[in-house]
Structure formats: structure tokens, C-alpha cells
Amino acid sequence: MIEISTPKTHSLKLKEVNKDITAEDLSEEDQSFYTAIKPCLNAMAKNPSQDTISNLVNYSKSI
């Protein structure tokens, strides 16, 4: 039989996960990147492709 053990300490430490990131938290390079992709991200959120809608509906039916 194989002996299995779990480490006594957790490898992942609890960090502040629920923090909202603001523009001031980003580096200048990250702000520039986000500004460049923001219009495309907003367009995808407002007008999802038919494939995205189909995938969501199929997933919902599988639950």
C-alpha cells in the first residue's frame, strides 16, 4: 500500500483577493495596455458572439 500524506502547512497563503484594482494600482505600461484593449473588451461584453451565447446555454443545460 502507498502511504500518502498532506503537508501540515498550506502552500497557498491567504492573500487579499477581493481588492478592487484601480488605475492607480497599475504600472504605466499596464495602464497603457489596458487603455488599448478596453474598447474591444467592452464591445465583447455588450455584443457577445453567437458561439459564446451557445456555449453558455449548453453549459447551463448540462448543470
Side-chain angles (χ1 to χ4, degrees):
M1 188 186 241
I2 299 174
E3 183 178 335
I4 299 174
S5 65
T6 305
K8 301 234 184 256
T9 60
H10 299 290
S11 60
L12 300 175
K13 299 291 181 185
L14 181 61
K15 295 184 179 181
E16 194 173 330
V17 178
N18 294 330
K19 182 180 179 226
D20 292 330
I21 297 175
T22 62
E24 293 80 27
D25 295 333
L26 300 174
S27 69
E28 187 176 326
E29 182 181 0
D30 289 337
Q31 287 178 13
S32 175
F33 174 73
Y34 178 69
T35 302
I37 66 169
K38 187 176 179 178
C40 292
L41 294 174
N42 288 338
M44 285 190 287
K46 291 179 183 175
N47 300 313
S49 69
Q50 189 60 42
D51 288 340
T52 302
I53 294 170
S54 296
N55 288 340
L56 288 169
V57 170
N58 291 339
Y59 178 77
S60 296
K61 289 178 181 178
S62 71
I63 297 180

